[in-house]
Amino acid sequence: MAARLQPRQIVVTSIAFVGLGAMGAPMAENLVKRQFRVTGFDMRESARDALAAAGGQAADSAAAAAEGADTLVLMVVNAAQARSVLFDAGALAALAPGATVILMATCPPGEVEAIADAVTKTGRHFVDAPVSGGVKGAQGGTLTIMVGAPADSFAKAKPVLDAMGDKVFHVGEKPGQGATVKTVNQLLCGVHIAVSAEALSLAQKAGIDGALLFEIMGGSAASSWMLRDRGPRMLEDEPPVASAVDIFVKDLGIVLDAGRAAKAALPLAAAAHQMFLAASGLGHGGRDDSHVVRAYRALNRRPDNDA
């Protein structure tokens, strides 16, 4: 007699997702679309309601979201917020034994290592997985994800990561190595945005049309992804916020801290950081990072022209 086939059991990973901001919200929704059971928390009730409307569940605290979950995704602003969620708010203790914590925020490598050590001491896995790709990448599930984690932890997290990004790289076995690669990424991004603003400032000072400039530069050897994306935004009065000026104040600060720790001179990153600081000081911190061009305009303002 042939053996009776047993029904195939489908294991659905339960995910707690903390940080439903401009990028976190679509990332969580992509997890829902991939049939994960997602419970989210954000300080803003509207963000929690939006996740519930998309098919997820909303929790009224980080610990409630994490209760018994197999995986906790942290898409928060910085390492301080990650620590607050994990330890002060009790999310780590609420997770299932053997659960995986995935930290996707941009944080200093040393702080990531310290958080990882505290998490793994509880018997849980930790995956350092910062992302690049902005809001568009988060919405389309096309983020680049840079992972620093032991091979077994990476394997556990990969189905979750694959639901949010189509370029998932295992860059090293140690937490903090993903953060290091993201730090280098932010160095390049910040410098590219700042130098695009500098080029526009020079061209406009000489009477060259900005739109024509970016049309020419976008197809030349001088082009970069940031020039093609942020350049035209610099010509708008209020472009939608893809990433704020203050994000690059923070991230380029992380870059410079990493340079000091490695005794590596980073003069271009330092100059770009100053321009983002200047833009923030002019009141543009919450605006799109293309507003760094306003700092150049302030530097190059003619006495008879406040533009």
Side-chain angles (χ1 to χ4, degrees), residues 15-19 39-43 48 58-74 81-96 124:
I15 298 174
F17 200 110
V18 177
T39 303
F41 173 71
D42 191 278
M43 294 297 292
R48 302 195 299 269
D60 59 8
S61 70
E67 187 64 41
D70 304 311
T71 301
L72 169 61
V73 177
L74 294 172
Q81 283 194 4
R83 284 185 172 277
S84 178
V85 169
L86 287 167
F87 309 120
D88 300 335
L92 180 62
L95 290 169
R124 297 176 174 90

Side-chain angles (χ1 to χ4, degrees), residues 199-200 203 210-224 227-228:
L200 176 62
L212 178 61
L213 174 78
F214 287 129
E215 182 180 352
I216 296 168
M217 294 297 104
S220 78
S223 184
S224 71
L227 182 143
R228 293 191 304 273

Side-chain angles (χ1 to χ4, degrees), residues 178-203:
T180 297
V181 176
K182 179 60 188 291
T183 297
V184 174
N185 181 84
Q186 294 307 89
L187 185 162
L188 287 165
C189 289
V191 169
H192 282 194
I193 296 171
V195 79
S196 296
E198 189 165 304
L200 176 62
S201 180
L202 172 61

Side-chain angles (χ1 to χ4, degrees), residues 7 27 35-36 45 105 115 117 119 128 146 149 167 233 297:
M27 289 164 69
Q35 306 303 308
F36 291 103
E45 184 178 2
I115 294 171
D117 184 60
V119 169
D128 165 30
M146 300 147 268
K167 296 172 286 294
R233 301 166 76 85
R297 290 175 184 167

Side-chain angles (χ1 to χ4, degrees), residues 127-180:
V127 174
D128 165 30
V131 303
S132 180
V135 175
K136 290 181 181 177
Q139 292 171 339
T142 58
L143 292 169
T144 297
I145 304 177
M146 300 147 268
V147 182
D152 59 334
S153 299
F154 174 62
K156 281 175 65 69
K158 194 166 187 304
V160 176
L161 299 174
D162 284 340
M164 296 181 285
D166 63 354
K167 296 172 286 294
V168 179
F169 297 97
H170 189 203
V171 302
E173 294 280 325
K174 293 173 53 181
Q177 290 178 309
T180 297

Side-chain angles (χ1 to χ4, degrees), residues 232-246:
R233 301 166 76 85
M234 293 175 187
L235 304 174
E236 300 178 33
D237 289 334
E238 287 296 336
V241 179
S243 176
V245 165
D246 279 345

Side-chain angles (χ1 to χ4, degrees), residues 23-24 37 58 74-75 84 91 100 116 121 123 145 172 178 193 224 253-254 262 265 298 304:
M23 289 183 66
R37 189 167 61 248
L74 294 172
M75 192 59 188
S84 178
T100 301
K121 281 180 178 176
I145 304 177
I193 296 171
S224 71
I254 291 173
D304 60 340

